[in-house]
Amino acid sequence: VVSALGALLIRVHSSPVSSPSVSRPPRLASCGSSQSSALSQSGGSTSTTGIEARSRALKRRWCPAAIMLLALVSLLSCLLPSSEAKVYSRCELARVLQDFGLDGYRGYSLADWVCLAYFASGFNTAAVDHEADGSTNNGIFQISSRRWCRNLTPNAPNVCQMYCSDLLNPNLKDTVICAMKITQEPQGLGYWEAWRHHCQGKDLTDWVDGCDF
């Protein structure tokens, strides 16, 4: 029995013990990550020049795609309006338009402008109406891209020298500047059909009644 136990201990001690494998987290591949390290470890007949050429090919294949995607995202972020839409209340809009000097401008009262804004857009600065010819009416006064601002329609006059998206800004600065230019035309506020049908020749005192200036 003793001799058998000794023989068993000898076999156990003489057997090779395999060390536990250590799992390593996979490395994240960068843009066009090279496989040269894996190829160099595998031996074989692959030359260093061949490995470098393959690495450069991978970079040329993947890097431009990533760069183009980032460029597209940046372009879209520039084209989109930088500010969120705002729907003014009646008196809030009246105060803003008064601060911009529209009360009495070209003989039109503040109530004329507030009435126009309501029937044109419902006081919504982000309102955009698309016409069948591809033009748009933009912002709180629904200013047309046919003549006054620039959108995707080529060869438009762009009298106000601004993009139509500028007319969607809640601070109304560009909108008021452009509206003043329109009002300098012989038609005045009559340029807007909404004003002619709903505001012209009517008692408009209710549009500013109760507003604290």
Side-chain angles (χ1 to χ4, degrees), residues 194-206:
W195 181 82
R196 296 197 311 269
H197 289 175
H198 301 285
C199 310
Q200 187 176 17
K202 298 182 179 181
D203 183 5
L204 303 178
T205 55
D206 286 345

Side-chain angles (χ1 to χ4, degrees), residues 34-108:
S34 173
Q35 298 179 355
S36 59
S37 59
L39 290 174
S40 61
Q41 292 172 4
S42 63
S45 59
T46 305
S47 63
T48 303
T49 304
I51 294 172
E52 292 176 352
R54 186 170 182 179
S55 176
R56 288 194 297 269
L58 286 171
K59 290 180 180 180
R60 285 195 299 270
R61 179 180 177 184
W62 294 108
C63 284
I67 293 172
M68 288 293 290
L69 179 60
L70 290 175
L72 180 60
V73 171
S74 299
L75 178 61
L76 289 175
S77 65
C78 292
L79 292 177
L80 292 174
S82 58
S83 303
E84 295 182 356
K86 178 177 177 62
V87 179
Y88 278 87
S89 67
R90 177 176 60 88
C91 287
E92 182 185 17
L93 179 62
R95 285 191 292 270
V96 171
L97 297 182
Q98 184 184 55
D99 291 342
F100 278 120
L102 285 185
D103 189 13
Y105 183 76
R106 292 281 171 169
Y108 297 103

